[in-house]
Amino acid sequence: MDKQTKIDKLNEQLTIFFNTINQIDATDSQADKLDTLLRESTDLSFVSPLAIGMSNFCKRQFPKEFSLEFYILFLLMSLKLDNGDICIRLKKDSLLELVKEKILLGDSNLETLWEAQFESLLEECLTFLLNKDVKKSQLINCQACNDSPLVAFDFDNKAEARVYLRRFYQYEENVSAFIKGRVSSVAEIDNETIEKYKAQIAMLFKDETNSDGQKKAVALATLSPFTVICGGPGTGKTTTVLKLLLLLLANSGMSDPRILLAAPTGKAAGRMIESIQSGKGNESLKATALPLFKNEDLYNQKLKLIPDTASTVHSLIGIYPHQEVPKYNPDHHLPCDILVVDEISMISLSLFSKLLDAIGPNTKVIMLGDKDQLSSVEPGSVLSDICCDLNTPIEDNLSKILESMTGFSKEQFLEQFGQSYTVGKYVSLLTFTHRFSDDSKLGNLAKLVNQAHADQDLNREIFESDLLYENKEVLTNHNLINPRVGSDEIIFNPVEQGDKKAISKLSDLIAKTMVDYYNPRDKAKTGFIKLLVDKKFVISNEDFASKANNPFKLLDEFRILCSNKDGDLGVNALNEAVSKKLKAIYKQKFDKNSTEYKLLADDVFFPGQVVLVTKNDRNLNLDNGEIGFVAYSSEEDKENSKARIFFPPKDGNKVREISPERLSNYTQGFAMTIHKSQGSEYQNICMVLSDKLNPVLTKELVYTGLTRAKPRDTNDKVIIVSNKEVFLQAIVKKVERESGLALMLAK
């Protein structure tokens, strides 16, 4: 369906919608007219099944109270949840903007026809909700009650008045109660213990510069049963938590605390373990930490308590399909003394609440994340809300203890960043990056994106500086690793808005660039495709054991990250383009009569195809977001066309081989959305943004995409493909999700 047809259809539906609404009045037949509206709603594209379901439920349960206003409220609530919001703030202007974006699709003609009707409808609805004593209703009630489907929050303050679906209110209340309860239970600490920790922290960081933030984070986490260490890429979150764990283990006495590690996705969990294992094997860390322990044997014994495996949050607490209550819950707590959870910005409110329910009262909780990254695709912005703790200075008593433990003054601790502090009662903000030097173009670009001004004209400094190497011909050249590009690590390839022919050509060039990275012209280099060709599609354990030419490492050398799934520059189109070029390369390498050539006939699973898992699969031990590739494990399997999908090791086990027939929830993974890439890092990236502004293009999306790149040398590149004006608009559009969690935590 083209855009105009969609607009015409929507116009017809809106006519029916308002004709039906205009017939509803306060007569005895109001219930019948509401029935008619609900029946017709099933055919309205802008009314979700959730809105219809909630309306039907409440009409049955509360026939005397259900009215048109509540139907409109459910319609708005479903739009809000789809937008990532937790609740509805009862403000006409913001709700009208929601309607214009989600129902009227930002179309100027539709807005001209229907904006006034929606504005009038919203005004009537808000007058009803705010002026009627709804807090005594069975349908919508105050937060102190627990039986109404809706919760009225802060109705006494109309400027902050919100309405929740009850379960979402309970999630926020649960999270707030957990954090407040843990923070309030910070134990008193004597001077002798403070001095001991001071000496130990100084020892752990004695050879490091710019470690003030890390010391502060370790000190705060030592004191508190709940702490969040927040910071961007390369700020040392994993290093900090590893030193913190060693400090806790050194002071655990004869006991062996049980430690569990987790992250929202399999990829994030895997990367967390890579960092932990690398740190545990670091001789420099050993040299600084060893004096904390009596001898090397004790050090090695305690070090083994830090796991070499990490779970997804779903697996950790035991969330399984068709199971109402997780395995670990308020009545059955996780068997651990210390829990570390990484990448918490990716966790939805509902999952976060369930995770906290599973934590026992004596478990120390340490959470890591980057507040500037994208929030969960599901409703909520947990980390952003929790970081409200940084908006107020810490109490004098805590400040004095931290000063004593670290040797830093209160003034240093309260060093301001804009309107925020670098330490709160339970949140530490790491600001110094060890990944990027002061002159790193990628690091400075990420910083500028985060600091983008409301005035777009001021942001043009990004293009006027030397941060970006703007060149339309770079992709045409394909082979980016060459002297012509030099040491410019960020290349901006401009896109003309709406130029279908140019965009189609650009899609082809992006695909060829990826294939060229996987199949380098330099004979001394091995790429992913080159390896598979050399091995004639048969991959052995020796290949996976290789440090330099491990297939998974080669696969992560380049990745296409897109803002959108659909469109000429979306994930689906680029995956198809890469697949086509990949097969063309293979056909050049093999004889038409060869076994290898014949295997390319399979359009679904062919050698070298990258596979992205889209749903957790407990039976196959696969997590949503995991990436594998298609190849053969033996010559016999190849001759019999028995392909395998290889996935990286998990939980200390060997590489996993999955038969394609067993995989049900997957897509191609050469290109992926920036959302899906969270928790991953790639040596080179091509970040492709839609040529037109759309709701997903935000500051957080651009920042998250940029920080997926982890260049290893000057030849590594970040390619940005975008319309210049769209890019500038995106970086000033900040995601702001409606919730009440920050307010609850602040009370």
Side-chain angles (χ1 to χ4, degrees), residues 22 60 119 185-186 238 262 417-418 488 567 574 711 737:
N22 291 333
R60 289 195 306 271
E119 186 171 11
S185 66
V186 175
T238 307
F417 278 76
D488 293 281
L574 289 170
R737 292 184 168 181

Side-chain angles (χ1 to χ4, degrees), residues 629-648:
F629 68 91
V630 178
Y632 298 87
S633 57
S634 69
E635 286 291 340
E636 184 181 354
D637 282 349
K638 187 172 73 174
E639 291 295 329
N640 294 320
S641 300
K642 291 183 178 180
R644 294 287 186 269
I645 305 176
F646 295 89
F647 290 95

Side-chain angles (χ1 to χ4, degrees), residues 223-509:
L223 298 172
S224 178
F226 173 85
T227 189
V228 176
I229 301 173
C230 185
T235 52
K237 296 187 294 290
T238 307
T239 302
T240 302
V241 84
L242 187 55
K243 290 186 176 184
L244 169 61
L245 291 174
L246 288 170
L247 180 69
L248 296 174
L249 290 169
N251 292 281
S252 63
M254 297 299 292
S255 66
D256 288 341
R258 298 162 298 174
I259 302 172
L260 292 178
L261 309 178
T265 67
K267 190 71 174 178
R271 193 164 65 82
M272 181 188 191
I273 286 302
E274 285 177 17
S275 299
I276 292 287
Q277 287 177 334
S278 175
K280 287 171 67 175
N282 189 306
E283 289 297 321
S284 175
L285 178 65
K286 180 179 179 178
T288 56
L290 194 57
L292 271 63
F293 301 84
K294 293 179 180 178
N295 52 61
E296 189 169 350
D297 287 342
L298 182 61
Y299 170 81
N300 291 330
Q301 177 191 326
K302 295 289 187 180
L303 193 66
K304 288 178 181 177
L305 297 175
I306 301 175
D308 289 324
T309 62
S311 309
T312 63
V313 175
H314 281 84
S315 299
L316 178 76
I317 63 176
I319 294 179
Y320 307 124
H322 316 299
Q323 185 172 307
E324 192 172 331
V325 179
K327 177 182 177 180
Y328 296 104
N329 53 65
D331 299 319
H332 184 208
H333 293 139
L334 284 165
C336 71
D337 303 296
I338 302 171
L339 174 65
V340 182
V341 186
D342 199 7
E343 299 285 0
I344 65 167
S345 66
M346 300 167 62
I347 303 179
S348 68
L349 175 65
S350 59
L351 182 58
F352 196 76
S353 178
K354 291 174 180 141
L355 171 62
L356 299 187
D357 279 343
I359 297 171
N362 299 317
T363 299
K364 180 180 278 291
V365 183
I366 305 158
M367 296 191 168
L368 315 174
D370 184 354
K371 65 181 179 64
D372 297 317
Q373 282 191 28
L374 285 164
S375 298
S376 165
V377 293
E378 298 177 49
S381 51
V382 173
L383 181 56
S384 295
D385 289 337
I386 287 174
C387 283
C388 69
D389 182 51
L390 293 169
N391 295 329
T392 51
I394 57 177
E395 295 92 346
D396 284 344
N397 184 46
L398 179 58
S399 173
K400 288 176 182 176
I401 294 172
L402 291 174
E403 181 178 342
S404 298
M405 288 176 66
T406 61
F408 302 126
S409 67
K410 178 180 178 180
E411 289 71 28
Q412 288 173 299
F413 271 110
L414 300 182
E415 180 186 357
Q416 284 184 285
F417 278 76
Q419 297 302 307
S420 299
Y421 300 95
T422 59
V423 65
K425 289 182 288 186
Y426 50 88
V427 180
S428 296
L429 180 63
L430 304 182
T431 57
F432 181 84
T433 178
H434 300 267
R435 178 182 298 182
F436 305 121
S437 61
D438 291 342
D439 59 352
S440 165
K441 293 177 181 178
L442 182 56
N444 283 311
L445 179 60
K447 190 183 295 183
L448 279 179
V449 166
N450 262 338
Q451 298 172 349
H453 311 281
D455 185 348
Q456 292 175 28
D457 290 334
L458 293 175
N459 299 320
R460 296 184 186 277
E461 64 186 90
I462 291 173
F463 292 96
E464 294 165 359
S465 69
D466 64 348
L467 291 180
L468 297 177
Y469 173 56
E470 188 174 343
N471 192 324
K472 226 175 189 178
E473 306 301 319
V474 169
L475 285 171
T476 308
N477 186 54
H478 308 310
N479 188 18
L480 294 178
I481 306 175
N482 71 72
R484 194 178 73 83
V485 176
S487 62
D488 293 281
E489 61 191 57
I490 310 173
I491 303 148
F492 190 90
N493 193 107
V495 179
E496 294 300 322
Q497 204 171 57
D499 190 338
K500 284 277 187 183
K501 188 176 179 180
I503 289 173
S504 178
K505 183 181 178 183
L506 194 57
S507 172
D508 187 71
L509 292 174

Side-chain angles (χ1 to χ4, degrees), residues 642-657:
K642 291 183 178 180
R644 294 287 186 269
I645 305 176
F646 295 89
F647 290 95
K650 185 179 180 182
D651 300 333
N653 297 320
K654 63 179 184 179
V655 171
R656 292 163 290 166
E657 297 181 26

